[in-house]
Amino acid sequence: MAWNEPGKDDKNDQDPWNKNNKNNEQGPPDLDVIFKKISGFLGGLFGKKSTQGPSNNNSSSNGGKVVAIAILVIIALVWFASGWYTIKESDRGVVLRLGAYHSQVEPGLHWNPKFVDEIIPVNVEAFRTLPTSGFMLTEDENIVQVSMEIQYRIVSPEKYLFSVTDADNSLLQALDSSLRFIIGHSTMNDALTTGREVVRQETWEMLNKIIASYGLGVQILDVNLQQTRPPEQVKDAFDDAIAAQEDEERFVREAEAYEREKEPIARGQVKRIEQQARSYEEGMILKAQGDVAQFNQLLPEYQAHPEVTRQRLYLEAMEKVLSTSSKVLIDNEAGGNLTFLPLDKLMSNTSTSSTNTVVETEIETRSRADEQAGLDERAASSQRVLNSSRSTGRD
């Protein structure tokens, strides 16, 4: 008998999978039954009539509505619960509604409609670094290897995310372009030694100008020029040149320190010499004025009593001279000259300093004697003029 021919047990033979056999629990599910239940549920949900009787239709329709409402409520609760999210203190949330930028949220607990809004957190407090390096050509056609690093942070999350395709890559390209432009307008000596700070500042300024037109939403916090060095083939020669420049700067600083140390001393000496010269000038002027005043006072006395005045002046001069002299002077009236006995040379205990004093005193005595002789001559001539004037008056 074929497998599809009816047998003794029609109920069991009609089902090739033996689905109606209660003892067989391992068979596959009846797909027809499942499809009928689903179609009946959907028909009751949307008001379609069923092939069953009226009582079964009402009961299945009411039950389907209750189940549908329960499922919808559960789905709504899950959807509502899944919409809560938290933004960290250091972040800002960028809200995308149906794929387009909508708003920005602050840190804290927030809710968004799930599957409608998308939240992208962006850290706006973290300091980010971006390095660049490479071989670059200077203005004097030399090659240098330059490494630079910048620090930045995000200040406008929506611009950072949507102004350009990749903000970090755009910033890196702008940094590399700015650095190459500044190095290309600098000499190799400036880039390696004294102009490093200038290169850093000018690169910073140019980078800010470039990213301002892009609207990247970032702020440059610092630019650090890490190293500038020549190619390895000439590195030793440039190291020697840099060492020489450093020695030159050190010598210049030492010279400036020496200048600052010696200049006040020299200025003080100049002031002291000026004051001494001014004091000497004033002293000589006062002394000359005193001599003139003394001569003006002595002239009437000399004119009235010439012999007495001459003798007094002679004695005063000799008193001054002999008070510091170790010689004995003898007046030779016959010859009219003064002689002296060198007693200091006869003394064995006289030192060399005393000899020098004697010589100086002798010279001073002779000079004063000559001066006194000149005064006597002038006095005599004055007396002769006076006598002649008196005789003329008598006549």
Side-chain angles (χ1 to χ4, degrees):
M1 183 175 59
W3 64 273
N4 56 356
E5 293 181 356
K8 296 181 180 179
D9 191 358
D10 295 337
K11 294 182 179 179
N12 293 333
D13 293 337
Q14 290 178 357
D15 190 0
W17 301 103
N18 295 326
K19 295 184 180 64
N20 296 325
N21 189 2
K22 297 181 179 179
N23 296 326
N24 188 6
E25 297 179 355
Q26 301 298 328
D30 192 352
L31 298 179
D32 295 335
V33 176
I34 294 175
F35 289 147
K36 288 180 180 180
K37 290 182 178 180
I38 293 175
S39 62
F41 170 75
L42 294 176
L45 181 62
F46 293 100
K48 293 183 179 181
K49 295 182 180 181
S50 177
T51 56
Q52 299 178 357
S55 60
N56 295 332
N57 189 12
N58 293 332
S59 62
S60 62
S61 177
N62 293 331
K65 291 181 180 180
V66 172
V67 173
I69 294 173
I71 292 174
L72 292 176
V73 170
I74 293 173
I75 292 174
L77 292 176
V78 172
W79 178 77
F80 179 78
S82 63
W84 292 99
Y85 64 96
T86 303
I87 299 297
K88 297 180 181 179
E89 185 66 26
S90 60
D91 296 348
R92 297 296 182 272
V94 178
V95 181
L96 301 181
R97 179 158 296 175
L98 299 177
Y101 173 73
H102 179 263
S103 62
Q104 178 177 323
V105 295
E106 299 296 325
L109 183 62
H110 302 275
W111 182 84
N112 73 306
K114 197 66 173 178
F115 308 113
V116 177
D117 289 353
E118 180 183 358
I119 309 300
I120 303 176
V122 179
N123 193 328
V124 297
E125 294 184 1
F127 291 168
R128 307 177 182 219
T129 60
L130 193 62
T132 184
S133 63
F135 290 95
M136 303 178 187
L137 189 65
T138 61
E139 186 179 16
D140 50 358
E141 298 182 355
N142 290 312
I143 296 177
V144 293
Q145 184 177 3
V146 184
S147 297
M148 178 174 282
E149 184 181 75
I150 62 171
Q151 291 185 353
Y152 67 98
R153 68 183 184 92
I154 300 172
V155 295
S156 181
E158 68 279 5
K159 293 182 179 180
Y160 177 78
L161 292 175
F162 308 120
S163 293
V164 293
T165 303
D166 188 350
D168 291 336
N169 184 50
S170 299
L171 182 60
L172 178 61
Q173 297 298 329
L175 173 62
D176 189 73
S177 177
S178 302
L179 182 58
R180 290 183 181 276
F181 180 84
I182 298 301
I183 293 295
H185 288 76
S186 303
T187 62
M188 187 175 188
N189 186 33
D190 293 338
L192 294 178
T193 56
T194 57
R196 290 171 55 88
E197 182 63 23
V198 177
V199 171
R200 189 184 76 89
Q201 291 290 341
E202 292 182 354
T203 303
W204 194 344
E205 294 175 0
M206 178 164 287
L207 179 61
N208 285 328
K209 291 180 181 178
I210 293 176
I211 64 176
S213 60
Y214 289 171
L216 299 180
V218 298
Q219 179 185 5
I220 307 299
L221 302 177
D222 191 17
V223 175
N224 183 21
L225 185 60
Q226 294 179 333
Q227 64 177 3
T228 55
R229 61 183 182 182
E232 294 295 334
Q233 293 80 359
V234 293
K235 184 177 182 299
D236 295 335
F238 273 93
D239 289 341
D240 295 338
I242 293 173
Q245 290 181 354
E246 292 177 352
D247 292 338
E248 179 185 4
E249 293 178 358
R250 178 171 57 85
F251 292 150
V252 170
R253 288 193 295 268
E254 290 177 355
E256 292 176 352
Y258 180 79
E259 178 185 4
R260 288 192 295 268
E261 179 184 359
K262 295 299 182 181
E263 183 178 3
I265 298 175
R267 292 183 181 277
Q269 292 178 353
V270 170
K271 289 292 183 182
R272 179 173 57 83
I273 293 174
E274 289 179 354
Q275 292 177 358
Q276 289 178 353
R278 194 173 292 109
S279 300
Y280 178 77
E281 178 186 5
E282 294 176 356
M284 295 301 295
I285 292 174
L286 293 176
K287 182 180 180 181
Q289 292 176 354
D291 293 340
V292 171
Q294 182 180 6
F295 181 79
N296 291 331
Q297 291 178 358
L298 289 177
L299 181 60
E301 298 294 333
Y302 180 79
Q303 292 176 353
H305 308 284
E307 297 295 336
V308 176
T309 304
R310 187 184 302 114
Q311 187 68 22
R312 182 171 62 84
L313 292 174
Y314 172 76
L315 294 177
E316 290 178 355
M318 295 303 298
E319 181 181 2
K320 291 180 180 179
V321 172
L322 295 177
S323 62
T324 58
S325 177
S326 60
K327 296 180 178 61
V328 177
L329 299 178
I330 300 175
D331 188 6
N332 189 356
E333 295 180 358
N337 294 325
L338 295 175
T339 60
F340 64 92
L341 297 176
L343 298 178
D344 51 348
K345 294 182 180 180
L346 301 177
M347 300 171 62
S348 59
N349 57 351
T350 304
S351 61
T352 305
S353 60
S354 300
T355 303
N356 295 332
T357 305
V358 170
V359 174
E360 293 175 357
T361 305
E362 180 181 355
I363 294 173
E364 185 177 0
T365 302
R366 288 182 179 275
S367 62
R368 286 189 175 274
D370 295 339
E371 183 180 357
Q372 184 63 34
L375 291 175
D376 293 340
E377 183 66 24
R378 289 195 297 272
S381 62
S382 300
Q383 186 65 32
R384 286 194 298 270
V385 171
L386 182 62
N387 293 332
S388 63
S389 62
R390 287 180 180 178
S391 61
T392 304
R394 290 177 183 177
D395 294 339

